[in-house]
Amino acid sequence: MSRAPLIAPENGLQAADRCNVVMLEAGLPGDSWTYCVEREQLARRSEWFRAMLTGPFAPPSTDSPPLLQLQHVDKRAFHHFLRYLHDEPVNFISVSTARATLDAAHQYLCPGLAQHAVAYLENHLTPSTVLEIYQGLGLYANDLREGERSDSDRSPNSPTAPPPPGDDAGAIAAVCTDLLLKCLSVIDSNPATVLDQERFEELSVQEVAELVYRDTLNLGSECILFSALDRWAAAECRRQGIEPLPVNKRLVLSDDICFSVRYLLMNDREFVSGPMASGILTNEECVHIVSKILGHPENSKNDSLRSSAAVHPSRLSNTPRIGTYKCDEDCNMLRPGKKERQDNRKNRRKECASQGQRTCARIGNCLIQILACMFD
């Protein structure tokens, strides 16, 4: 812990004035910086500190300065905040510090510092930094209407209406909304790079849902999205203290997020080696989806009712996103038709050989059900 009298009392203060001095310790215990400040001087520059240091929650005046711990704010972010209030230059050297400073600016209702941090973050917004900037940003931004969630409706560079004068919270929300739209644009353009990062596993369920529902993700394959969701679900299970088993992964994902993946845009090999092998989908759901991928018609009313019970038709979409999907017919494991039954059996055995024992048993069971439906 270090002490830095950035906003120090002026020399020659009387004893009564020295009672107005407070110590502010910013950061977590053991990793904090401490500042000696004069409460009236700081209160004049910040409405938040005016309430904290001179309002009903202010610490009592004593001969020795009281110590206030600010564990909710990053030490470097608070350092930049004090420098900004003292009209000293604020220079960022990392995205992480600028992002933490944006948090502090929102906490202390400092729109000028928020604009400064956002400008730096926009200039350093890349596929490798976008998730660090995106995480938690939606808490500060305005709610995006459905029409604003797509780049076709609004460009990230489109100006927003300025907030009313004196609306500090509105001013911060406006710049954060613009930054959020730019983050979504970068994610849309580089989903394979972004979804493969470990930081994706740290997002909240709301942030994950915001991304997976987007029609503008430039995905080359829905397998990329499913693999990312599988990793996120395992991490979320561990955060909740439960075993990352398939049934628990399905529970934390929810049906809505689970079926945000457009399985019908996969070929049968991709689906069998990915979603089916993961165990997140039930056997009935796998049978229904594979039959849809293969284009197997429903021959009877009972088949239709059974399929609807497995997966509601509204949950499955074959509408491509903005990305280009490559359909390689030669890589299909299964081909409908009586003449190809023997080939299907050989392909099933080959696929099972590359999977673990439990996965092989699951895939084999599902494929038997598929063939039973196809040739019943």
Side-chain angles (χ1 to χ4, degrees):
M1 180 178 69
S2 61
R3 294 187 177 184
L6 184 63
I7 304 182
E10 298 177 0
N11 294 330
L13 289 177
Q14 300 297 323
D17 294 329
R18 293 183 183 278
C19 293
N20 289 327
V21 175
V22 295
M23 307 294 292
L24 300 178
E25 182 181 345
L28 296 175
D31 186 26
S32 60
W33 289 350
T34 303
Y35 299 87
C36 175
V37 301
E38 195 269 314
R39 67 176 75 193
E40 294 292 342
Q41 184 180 1
L42 186 58
R44 286 194 297 268
R45 300 299 307 273
S46 170
E47 182 178 350
W48 195 94
F49 278 101
R50 185 180 308 121
M52 180 180 180
L53 299 179
T54 64
F57 300 103
S61 299
T62 59
D63 292 337
S64 59
L67 176 65
L68 300 181
Q69 294 181 324
L70 307 175
Q71 298 182 10
H72 59 274
V73 62
D74 177 82
K75 62 183 181 182
R76 287 186 171 83
F78 189 74
H79 180 77
H80 288 310
F81 171 70
L82 288 183
R83 289 182 64 87
Y84 180 83
L85 294 185
H86 207 52
D87 296 325
E88 296 188 7
V90 176
N91 298 312
F92 300 114
I93 60 175
S94 70
V95 168
S96 59
T97 298
R99 183 62 182 82
T101 303
L102 179 58
D103 293 335
H106 178 268
Q107 172 74 27
Y108 299 134
L109 293 177
C110 187
L113 181 60
Q115 293 172 0
H116 189 62
V118 165
Y120 179 90
L121 293 173
E122 288 179 347
N123 290 333
H124 294 79
L125 184 58
T126 66
S128 61
T129 63
V130 65
L131 287 183
E132 182 177 4
I133 299 172
Y134 169 77
Q135 187 175 11
L137 187 61
L139 299 175
Y140 309 153
N142 296 317
D143 290 335
L144 298 179
R145 297 172 302 182
E146 289 299 323
E148 292 177 330
R149 294 182 184 271
S150 172
D151 287 347
S152 61
D153 296 318
R154 178 181 173 185
S155 168
N157 297 319
S158 300
T160 57
D167 183 6
D168 291 344
I172 295 173
V175 296
C176 288
T177 301
D178 290 339
L179 179 59
L180 177 59
L181 289 171
K182 289 182 172 66
C183 286
L184 293 175
S185 178
V186 171
I187 294 171
D188 283 344
S189 301
N190 306 273
T193 301
V194 173
L195 296 177
D196 192 47
Q197 298 173 20
E198 290 182 350
R199 189 173 287 272
F200 178 81
E201 302 168 18
E202 306 302 321
L203 299 180
S204 69
V205 64
Q206 294 82 7
E207 290 167 335
V208 170
E210 172 74 25
L211 298 183
V212 300
Y213 294 149
R214 294 181 65 78
D215 293 326
T216 47
L217 285 176
N218 191 12
L219 280 170
S221 171
E222 291 290 317
C223 294
I224 298 172
L225 179 58
F226 182 84
S227 177
L229 289 177
D230 191 12
R231 291 177 10 247
W232 179 89
E236 181 64 17
C237 286
R238 295 186 178 96
R239 280 191 289 269
Q240 297 185 15
I242 57 179
E243 192 73 17
L245 301 175
V247 63
N248 292 332
K249 290 181 182 180
R250 176 64 175 268
L251 181 64
V252 299
L253 279 172
S254 78
D255 287 349
D256 289 339
I257 293 180
C258 188
F259 284 101
S260 67
V261 180
R262 304 184 182 185
Y263 300 107
L264 300 186
L265 296 177
M266 299 180 183
N267 58 50
D268 51 354
R269 179 180 293 277
E270 291 174 333
F271 182 80
V272 169
S273 62
M276 182 185 290
S278 72
I280 293 177
L281 299 174
T282 66
N283 287 350
E284 292 76 13
E285 290 168 342
C286 290
V287 169
H288 177 69
I289 293 173
V290 171
S291 67
K292 289 290 187 181
I293 292 174
L294 296 176
H296 175 61
E298 295 175 350
N299 296 324
S300 67
K301 183 177 180 180
N302 290 336
D303 289 341
S304 178
L305 292 175
R306 183 169 52 195
S307 298
S308 298
V311 183
H312 194 277
S314 63
R315 291 189 179 276
L316 294 177
S317 173
N318 59 359
T319 303
R321 302 181 198 255
I322 197 172
T324 302
Y325 293 89
K326 297 180 180 179
C327 181
D328 185 1
E329 295 181 356
D330 293 336
C331 69
N332 284 348
M333 290 172 44
L334 305 178
R335 292 183 294 275
K338 188 173 182 179
K339 294 181 179 180
E340 288 79 16
R341 184 181 303 179
Q342 187 64 33
D343 291 339
N344 290 341
R345 291 174 180 171
K346 292 180 180 179
N347 287 331
R348 287 203 309 276
R349 288 195 295 268
K350 185 183 299 184
E351 179 64 22
C352 288
S354 65
Q355 303 291 337
Q357 183 176 1
R358 292 180 61 186
T359 302
C360 289
R362 173 181 170 79
I363 294 175
N365 184 38
C366 289
L367 293 178
I368 290 173
Q369 294 183 53
I370 294 170
L371 292 176
C373 293
M374 293 171 58
F375 302 109
D376 188 3

